[in-house]
Amino acid sequence: MGRGRRHRGTTSKRNQIDNSNENVEKPLASFDSNNFQKPICSNLHFEDYYKEQRIVKAEEWDSFMEILRKPLPAAFRVNSNGQFCDEIRLKVENDFMKSLQAEARESGELEAIKPLPWYPKNLAWHSNFSRKEIRKNQILERFHEFLKLETEVGNMTRQESVSMVPPLFLDVHPDHFVLDMCAAPGSKTFQLLEIIHESSEPGSLPNGMVVANDVDYKRCNLLIHQTKRTCTTNLMVTNNEGQQFPSCNTKRTLSVASEINPHPIDQLLFDRVLCDVPCSGDGTLRKAPDIWRRWNSGSGNGLHSLQVVLAMRGLSLLKVGGRMIYSTCSMNPIEDEAVVAEILRRCGCSVELVDVSDKLPELIRRPGLTKWKVHDRGGWYRSYKDVPKSQRDGVLRSMFPSGKSDKDSTGGGNSYEEMAYISSDESAVEVCDLPLERCMRILPHDQNTGGFFIAVLHKVSPLPEFQEKINHRRNSYNRNNINSSEKSLYEAVSDTVVTKPEEGAEEIVLEATVSENGFKPPKKESTCDEGFVELAQKLDDRGGKREVPSMQGKWKGLYPVVFLRDETVIDGIKTFYGIKDESFPLYGHLVTRNSDISSHGNVKRIYYVSKAVKDVLELNFAVGKPLKISSVGLKMFEKQSAKECEANSCSFRITSEGLPVILPYMTKQILYATMADFKNLLQHKSIKFLDFIHPQIGEKAAKLALGSCVMVLVDDDTQLGSEPVKLKTSTIAIGCWKGKASLTVMVTTVDCHQLIERLSDRSKEVEIAENCLKTAETA
């Protein structure tokens, strides 16, 4: 990356290093005696840099480098609020730990898989096999298929172990508003949503929410795909620049709408902020060995300013008393301790660095550094006064431990010979007087992981008056009119200023109602589906320019979200499924998208949002729609074709992802079935009413209204009566379609397969328990 001082926005989670398998240059390679191609896992500049920074002791260096050259072991996490959480954990503990042990011994490992000792409740696991070994080894194929299936249906998440750490130090509660500033690809967002939902009763919605933001619209799609598996109504995905994320402050917005219709919240502030910033990513060398070839110290220097600005914006959006995590997957102190030191200097006594050394005691971590040097193309610098004027665009005073400049310096800098002398003078290296030892650096050779850096920050009072003053200037200043000395600080704390979207930027906006905003659906229906935005990415062969969709609302290319106000549709859904509005309110909680409205004005898909998300949507509209919303809500209802519905039935079926949320509030269109009939339906996908093993199930199915219904699994045939069965967390239910003579499953093939496997495991457990009981009785 260039070494420019200012960055207008992030381009990816790892701005400099793309760790994905797509669009990555092939690494340089060597060949062993068997002609297998291997990436070169060495870089003299990397070694010289980190030896000089002394992030490990000299006697540890060989161990540190040795582990960096080994592939990263696979890690996975069982989702804590998943319906089958306990069953999956027990299967891993009692089945795979034992069956894989023989393979581990052959590979020279003591254990095949083991729980991460620091992760709560044995829900996160570390495998001593690399991802490549798991995919390729036939003996491990069953384990691999298990991981794939459970991940696809949302019961597990494949996630690097150190990536799981930051949310655990954030101390999230179910009623918190949480911002994940640079969220893609979404594994930490998924974790935050798990914590938000963990203490909720079946069907109940937490009072909190998670706003997951990423500046890259392509990565927002990946984020939406990842988090869709959580089946949550408490998530909003936004596509804003993190350093300009709006606070939607109605007090500073001259809006008639906000004056006439006061809102439950008047500003978008957060109880918790996760600021996992773009970085050079050298902590991921084991996962992405191509970084070895590309690594240089300029990458970290080039990202330092952006990281400071993002962290400052996160703190300005944090409520007083709130907590923010600053984290990177870099081991570089310029991206880590130097950033933390700079934001502490800017915030003064309003923000403190929290000591969390007593938390997660089994997690091995190193204290943050208090002294380091800065390297640039001119060599090593111990202090900002040593930096020549010609280098000061790329080497900033905030990169140094003291963060100060020498006003008495002539500014001429030093010769390269003098700099070499400075590098060797350890007694003259600056030492930071801030408590940076409270930060934590996770090094790969401590627990066979990747590298990571984490700092926990607590906002004890409002930010200093000068920064708040710059916040208030945002309506009277154009950023180009601010003098250079204030510009970077202005960008760090700017409030709701939204720059004009660049040509071709894809954005979205919330509209209040169709009538209020004069919204008209496009004549041509969009191909947008499942909350994903079909993006125009084709390049013109001659000019290389991206094709841009026509204007849709305030932002280009992304489709507006609108509140559903059609009382006929809402009342029809309530009546058909027997939902009482006081227990599960639908009015004001249902939204749809432009792309889900046909040219005739008919709604195709309806999404449900929690009260917290509803309040933020309304606030966003009241202040002029600065939030670019990529996805919001849980897809709850989907329209079926007219041929499948009668005049007196509801044409909207309940989706699989929406079923767990709405089921506790339904009083109609419910069937109960025992294990035999339930599995039979899953296996055959469709069964005639007369072919059910228990005839009463078929009789009740025939009496239901034509259309969508739900089948609930019960323990025995005594529960097949008409009285509603009390639902529990473990209750299994599937969406079905009641036709004229048969019942058909409305579940994907993958979900069917997963449920059949799960029910088979339950049947085996019941059989084993019954046999044990019989044996005991006989004895």
Side-chain angles (χ1 to χ4, degrees), residues 249-303:
N249 195 336
T250 58
K251 295 177 181 178
R252 296 200 288 265
T253 303
L254 298 176
S255 170
V256 176
S258 63
E259 293 173 1
I260 297 175
N261 301 308
H263 296 276
I265 53 176
D266 56 18
Q267 188 174 4
L268 184 54
L269 295 177
F270 297 90
D271 302 278
R272 299 290 185 266
V273 174
L274 177 57
C275 188
D276 186 47
V277 298
C279 66
S280 60
D282 58 23
T284 66
L285 280 165
R286 302 180 68 187
K287 182 173 66 175
D290 189 49
I291 297 175
W292 284 106
R293 178 177 61 84
R294 294 183 287 174
W295 188 93
N296 64 81
S297 60
S299 297
N301 292 352
L303 287 163

Side-chain angles (χ1 to χ4, degrees), residues 63-92:
S63 299
F64 172 67
M65 290 301 298
E66 182 183 2
I67 201 76
L68 280 178
R69 294 185 175 110
K70 292 183 178 180
L72 183 71
F76 57 91
R77 182 171 50 79
V78 182
N79 299 332
S80 59
N81 63 328
Q83 186 177 22
F84 305 110
C85 173
D86 292 335
E87 293 177 43
I88 293 171
R89 180 178 53 80
L90 291 172
K91 186 176 182 67
V92 173

Side-chain angles (χ1 to χ4, degrees), residues 7 13 39 65-66 98 101 159 228-229 264 282 381 383 421 425 450 537 553 556 630 679 702:
H7 299 259
K13 184 66 164 189
M65 290 301 298
E66 182 183 2
K98 297 175 183 177
Q101 193 57 43
Q159 184 179 0
K228 189 177 76 168
R229 299 177 298 127
D282 58 23
Y381 307 106
S383 175
Y421 172 77
D425 185 4
Q537 301 177 39
K556 291 181 180 179
S630 297
K679 287 180 68 175

Side-chain angles (χ1 to χ4, degrees), residues 616-634:
V616 172
L617 288 175
E618 292 176 340
L619 175 67
N620 185 51
F621 173 70
V623 299
K625 301 157 286 191
L627 284 174
K628 296 160 55 179
I629 301 170
S630 297
S631 174
V632 65
L634 175 66

Side-chain angles (χ1 to χ4, degrees), residues 645-689:
C645 305
E646 293 178 340
N648 61 344
S649 68
C650 177
S651 59
F652 286 93
R653 70 173 182 87
I654 300 173
T655 64
S656 295
E657 53 264 50
L659 179 57
V661 175
I662 198 172
L663 180 58
Y665 305 99
M666 291 174 57
T667 59
K668 297 180 181 178
Q669 295 296 103
I670 301 176
L671 288 171
Y672 300 101
T674 57
M675 179 72 78
D677 278 310
F678 200 89
K679 287 180 68 175
N680 202 28
L681 181 59
L682 286 173
Q683 288 167 345
H684 293 90
K685 304 294 190 298
S686 183
I687 294 182
K688 292 183 178 180
F689 301 149

